[in-house]
Amino acid sequence: LQLNIHDAAQRLAFRRFNALWTPTVIILDPAGNERWRVEGFLPRREFHAQLEMGLARIVAIRKRWADAEPLYAHIVETFGDTHVAAEALYWRGISAYQVTREHATLERMAIELTSRFPQSEWALKASVWV
Amino acid sequence: MPRLLFGDNTGMALQWRHEPDAALAEAKDQSKPLLIDFSAAPT
């Protein structure tokens, strides 16, 4: 579902959701909890990847790891050239680990992150498993 | 292969809502996520 809030007419709603700037896009889960936020303009492809991350986050935060893993894998595969790719790869690995409990899953993810996205903070976060 | 959650059709028509409380209630009733777009562009 989509809700548009326009600055000129709905300033209270901006305050309610702590929107500081436009454009801002927030993804809420069905219970109304904020799960993802994009502040500022992004080109279409980057924006699309962010939206996919938001929906994957909703699944992951419910700890539905077996469902989350293919969503993150899809983002890595389809949006591997975007700025969210490293984060998606990280969470793909975490999701897979939560399903299998095999530590080697984390190590493989860390190696792939270091190889593909060596400058990302996600490679740093995964470096503990290398 | 999982489907693209938001589809691949950039010309897809969206049904924009404009009342936050009603949209939140609708999302809850339908168990669907809610995307909120805060804009300032002239309408």
Side-chain angles (χ1 to χ4, degrees):
Chain A
L1 304 181
Q2 302 85 29
L3 166 68
N4 174 255
I5 296 176
H6 193 272
D7 183 34
Q10 294 173 282
R11 293 188 185 278
L12 285 177
F14 269 66
R15 284 194 213 123
R16 175 179 177 180
F17 293 99
N18 295 310
L20 301 176
W21 185 240
T22 60
T24 288
V25 167
I26 302 174
I27 297 177
L28 308 180
D29 67 17
N33 301 303
E34 179 177 335
R35 297 306 184 204
W36 200 257
R37 179 175 289 234
V38 182
E39 294 174 311
F41 167 83
L42 284 173
R44 185 170 63 187
R45 185 170 171 73
E46 291 280 349
F47 183 65
H48 189 163
Q50 290 273 346
L51 297 182
E52 299 285 345
M53 286 292 286
L55 291 189
R57 181 73 177 178
I58 289 174
V59 175
I61 215 154
R62 291 176 181 165
K63 299 186 178 179
R64 288 169 41 196
W65 299 112
D67 296 325
E69 194 274 339
L71 297 179
Y72 284 120
H74 177 65
I75 296 168
V76 171
E77 186 175 310
T78 308
F79 298 100
D81 58 331
T82 69
H83 285 75
V84 299
E87 183 175 358
L89 204 163
Y90 181 93
W91 285 107
R92 184 193 73 185
I94 298 297
S95 300
Y97 170 75
Q98 294 286 13
V99 171
T100 64
R101 294 288 172 179
E102 293 175 3
H103 194 272
T105 303
L106 297 174
E107 185 177 345
R108 283 196 299 273
M109 173 257 283
I111 291 170
E112 186 174 354
L113 267 171
T114 303
S115 171
R116 292 182 62 180
F117 307 104
Q119 301 303 316
S120 74
E121 70 173 289
W122 299 97
L124 284 177
K125 291 178 178 180
S127 64
V128 69
W129 297 306
V130 176
Chain B
M1 167 76 71
R3 65 186 175 87
L4 283 168
L5 292 172
F6 283 92
D8 203 19
N9 180 1
T10 54
M12 178 177 60
L14 299 178
Q15 183 186 345
W16 287 103
R17 291 144 183 88
H18 300 281
E19 295 298 329
D21 287 326
L24 286 163
E26 189 178 353
K28 186 175 183 180
D29 287 346
Q30 297 184 22
S31 283
K32 289 183 176 178
L34 177 65
L35 182 152
I36 308 180
D37 168 49
F38 293 88
S39 66
T43 55

